[in-house]
Amino acid sequence: MNDADKLWAGRFNEPTDAFVEAFTASVEFDKRLYRYDIQGSMAHATMLARQGILSEQERQAICEGLTAIGECIERGAFQWSIAREDVHMNIEAALTEAIGDAGKKLHTGRSRNDQVATDVRLWLRDEIDQVNRGIARLQRVLLDLAEREADTIMPGFTHLQTAQPISFGHHLMAWFEMLDRDHDRFSDCLKRTNVMPLGAAALAGTSYPIDRHYTAELLGFERPAANSLDAVSDRDFAIEFAAAASILMMHLSRMSEELIIWSSAQFGFIELSDAFCTGSSIMPQKKNPDVPELVRGKTGRIYGHLMALLTLMKSQPLAYNKDNQEDKEPLFDTVDNLKGCLKVFADMVPAIRPKRDAMRAAALKGYATATDLADYLARRGLPFRDAHEAVGKAVALCVEKGCDLAQLSLDELRGFSDRVGDDVYEVLTLEGSLAARDHIGGTAPAQVRKAIELARWRIDQN
Ligand code: ARG
C-alpha cells in the first residue's frame, strides 16, 4: 500500500518504517471485533443523520456499504491489510473504496479512541452473556448429579484428613455455590461494561451537535460515559472481567484437583468417563485425568492475563495511550479459554461415575464419627472439652487395636465416660451422623435436597 493511502498520512513526509508498520498494527487480532465495529459505525452514522450532520442518502450509503463489508468478511473474502493498521481503518478504507465520499464522512465527530473502547465493550457484553450461560449450564449438571447423590456418603476432609462424613451431593452443592458467586460477579461486571464511550471522540468530545443518548439507545448501552477523558482511557471493566475470570478459574482448578484426587487408585471415589481421559504411551495401565489437569493448568494463563491488564493500566496518564491496544489479546484468550473450560466441565460432570462403596468404606475409616460421639457425651451433660478429651482417648485405643469406634464394645466405650448408654451406636453410624446435621447449610440428605430445590429456583431467576 502507498503511504498516501493511510487515513492519517496528511502531516507525514516520510513513509512508515516497514517493521514499525507491522509492529504497531493490531489488525491480525482485532479483526475479530469487526461485527461490533460495524454495529457501532452504523449507530454513529444513524445518529449523525438524525442530527442533520449527514444526509439521509449518506447514512443509507454508509449502512449498506457496511452491511456488504460485513458479509464479505463473513465469507472470508475481505482483504485485511496490515498497512491499514487495525480493524477500524481497514473497514473504513474499504467503505470509502466502495461508496466514495460518504465513506469519508463516517468518522465525523468520532475518533478511533472512542471507537475501539466502544467495540471492546460491545464485544465483551456479548461474551459475558455467553460465559454466564456456560456457568449456568455447569450449575445445572451439578444439580442433577447432586440430586442423584444426596444419600451417597463420603468422608469430608479438612487438611485433606478425614474429618466428618458428608453427603456427596452436599460436596457437589459446595461447587454450585462457588459458581453462583462467579455468575454474580460477571453480572456485576456487565453493569460497568455496558456504558458507552462513543461521543468522547479523541479525548475531549466533539464540536458537532451529537446526541449521545440516542447512540447509546441504538446500541443498547445503559448510558453514555459521563466524562470523555475517562471514556477513552478506562479499561477497568476489562480488568474486572479478568479478575472475575481468575476467580472462576481458581474455582475450576479446585474442582479439577478434587476430581484428580478422587479418580486416583488410592482414593477410587469416582471414575471419569474414558472420553475425558487419555492413556500413556509407555504405561499400559494408565488412564490419566487430562481434562481436569488441563483446566487446572489453564488457570495460570488466566491469572497471567489479569496481571497483564493491571500492569498495562498502571500509571497511564489520561487519556488514550497506544498501550491500550495491548488489552485485546489477553481479553480474547481469557474469553476463549473460559468458555472452553466451562464447556468441557459441563460435558464431563454428567459422565462422572461415583463409586459409592469405596466412598462409604473410606468414610468408615479415619474415625469420621468422633465428633458425633463427643456431641453425644456433651448432650448427656459432659462439658464439650471433657467429651473431646474422652473421645480422643477412645480414638487412641482404636488406633492401637486397629479398629473403628463403632467396633469398640459398650464396656470399652464406658471406660472413657460413664455417660455412654447403649444407644451410643446410633450416633456412631454414618447415616446417623449425616442426619443429625439437619439445618440450613448442613449435610443431612433432607437438607441437601432442600438446598438443591432452592438452587434450581435461584438459577431459574437468572
Ligand atoms: N488499534 C487501536 C487500539 O486498539 C485503536 C485506537 C488507536 N488510536 C490511536 N490514537 N492510535 O487501541
Side-chain angles (χ1 to χ4, degrees), residues 26 30 85-86 88 112-113 116 320 322 324-325 328:
S26 55
D30 67 17
E85 206 174 308
D86 55 26
H88 324 293
R112 273 185 298 151
N113 299 351
V116 69
Y320 175 86
K322 182 78 164 181
N324 288 4
Q325 183 165 291
K328 288 167 206 65

Side-chain angles (χ1 to χ4, degrees), residues 107-122:
H107 215 48
T108 309
R110 184 178 77 170
S111 153
R112 273 185 298 151
N113 299 351
D114 58 345
Q115 186 179 0
V116 69
T118 302
D119 290 5
V120 174
R121 284 170 185 267
L122 286 170

Side-chain angles (χ1 to χ4, degrees), residues 305-358:
H305 295 325
L306 170 61
M307 280 305 129
L309 290 169
L310 278 168
T311 312
L312 170 67
M313 292 312 293
K314 179 184 176 292
S315 312
Q316 260 200 47
L318 288 170
Y320 175 86
N321 300 284
K322 182 78 164 181
D323 313 42
N324 288 4
Q325 183 165 291
E326 286 285 308
D327 64 355
K328 288 167 206 65
E329 286 166 294
L331 272 180
F332 293 162
D333 191 70
T334 299
V335 160
D336 293 343
N337 279 290
L338 219 52
K339 290 197 295 189
C341 291
L342 287 168
K343 176 184 161 38
V344 81
F345 241 84
D347 290 345
M348 178 173 62
V349 164
I352 290 175
R353 268 210 307 109
K355 296 190 191 158
R356 301 185 183 112
D357 293 344

